């Protein structure tokens, strides 16, 4: 286990995403397509293919290399993807902020894995990236995700009407933040 891999349970690792995860992402996202539909944008069928996931991961890894994003996966003991976590829109300077998005496989929901992974993202945002704040948004009726954020130390800071186009319509979202520290921006 490297410093970028953490065991969240005896059978679940949290680690950096890699391009080689494309087939496992395609399988997991296809398996969870109906489950996640109510919380996700409408996606073309190509999104659920190995090629579609390879293109998505290539873009995310380019953003990672440019310091704009950090993608992670939850992987079972067979190294199959059972969740995805991304810190995107990373900004430096006086803002020092990133936006969190995540999902967990339906068969693994309710185990505390999302909460543990969100905490790990926040630790990395603070300790490795030097961020001050992480923000997240949930569709107003996504109570499970709101519980994850609350357990991981996020506070609700408002509601944004028509925030994102989810499941074929503009949806209101609750906005959350977690302040990571009060230190001044580093260099």
């Amino acid at each position: 286990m490297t410093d970028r891999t953490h065991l969240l349970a005896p059978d679940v690792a949290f680690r950096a995403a890699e391009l080689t995860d494309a087939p496992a992402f395609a399988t997991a996202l296809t398996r969870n397509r109906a489950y996640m539909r109510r919380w996700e944008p409408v996606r073309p069928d190509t999104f659920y293919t190995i090629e579609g996931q390879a293109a998505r991961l290539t873009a995310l890894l380019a953003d990672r290399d440019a310091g704009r994003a950090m993608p992670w996966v939850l992987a079972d003991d067979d190294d199959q993807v059972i969740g995805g976590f991304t810190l995107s829109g990373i900004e430096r300077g006086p803002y020092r902020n990133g936006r969190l998005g995540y999902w967990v496989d339906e068969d693994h929901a309710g185990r505390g894995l999302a909460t543990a992974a969100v905490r790990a993202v926040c630790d990395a945002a603070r300790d490795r990236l030097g961020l001050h704040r992480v923000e997240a948004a949930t569709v107003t009726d996504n109570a499970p995700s709101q519980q994850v954020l609350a357990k991981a130390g996020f506070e609700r800071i408002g509601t944004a009407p028509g925030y994102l186009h989810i499941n074929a319509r503009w949806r209101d979202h609750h906005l959350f933040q977690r302040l990571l520290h009060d230190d001044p921006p580093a260099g």
Side-chain angles (χ1 to χ4, degrees):
M1 185 166 71
T2 70
D3 66 336
R4 294 187 180 206
T5 301
H6 306 283
L7 287 178
L8 300 183
D11 60 339
V12 179
F14 178 76
R15 63 170 175 76
E18 303 168 2
L19 187 55
T20 56
D21 291 318
F25 265 112
T27 298
L29 289 166
T30 298
R31 183 177 59 248
N32 285 277
R33 190 173 185 175
Y35 169 65
M36 295 191 318
R37 179 173 289 129
R38 61 188 162 179
W39 300 307
E40 288 283 313
V42 174
R43 310 242 193 229
D45 289 340
T46 56
F47 177 83
Y48 299 93
T49 65
I50 293 171
E51 296 79 12
Q53 287 306 300
R56 183 183 73 83
L57 285 167
T58 297
L60 274 173
L61 295 174
D63 281 349
R64 179 202 62 200
D65 294 345
R68 294 185 299 260
M70 286 295 297
W72 290 276
V73 299
L74 285 182
D76 66 14
D77 51 6
D78 292 324
D79 205 33
Q80 294 303 302
V81 172
I82 59 169
F85 292 74
T86 302
L87 193 60
S88 62
I90 295 173
E91 294 186 48
R92 306 293 181 180
Y95 194 36
R96 305 197 75 76
N97 184 75
R99 289 187 302 274
L100 174 64
Y102 58 91
W103 63 272
V104 172
D105 188 291
E106 180 177 22
D107 290 340
H108 294 273
R111 293 179 55 191
L113 297 171
T115 301
V118 167
R119 288 178 178 144
V121 168
C122 290
D123 289 347
R126 181 191 61 233
D127 300 338
R128 291 202 332 243
L129 302 173
L131 299 184
H132 167 68
R133 178 179 177 270
V134 173
E135 64 184 59
T138 70
V139 175
T140 56
D141 62 353
N142 189 346
S145 190
Q146 292 161 23
Q147 290 171 347
V148 164
L149 292 171
K151 288 178 185 176
F154 283 72
E155 65 178 320
R156 186 172 147 196
I157 57 171
T159 301
Y163 187 70
L164 289 172
H165 200 255
I166 300 294
N167 197 16
R169 65 187 178 101
W170 291 103
R171 300 288 308 274
D172 298 349
H173 280 63
H174 291 315
L175 307 177
F176 297 84
Q177 72 174 8
R178 179 172 166 191
L179 299 179
L180 305 174
H181 62 79
D182 289 328
D183 300 334

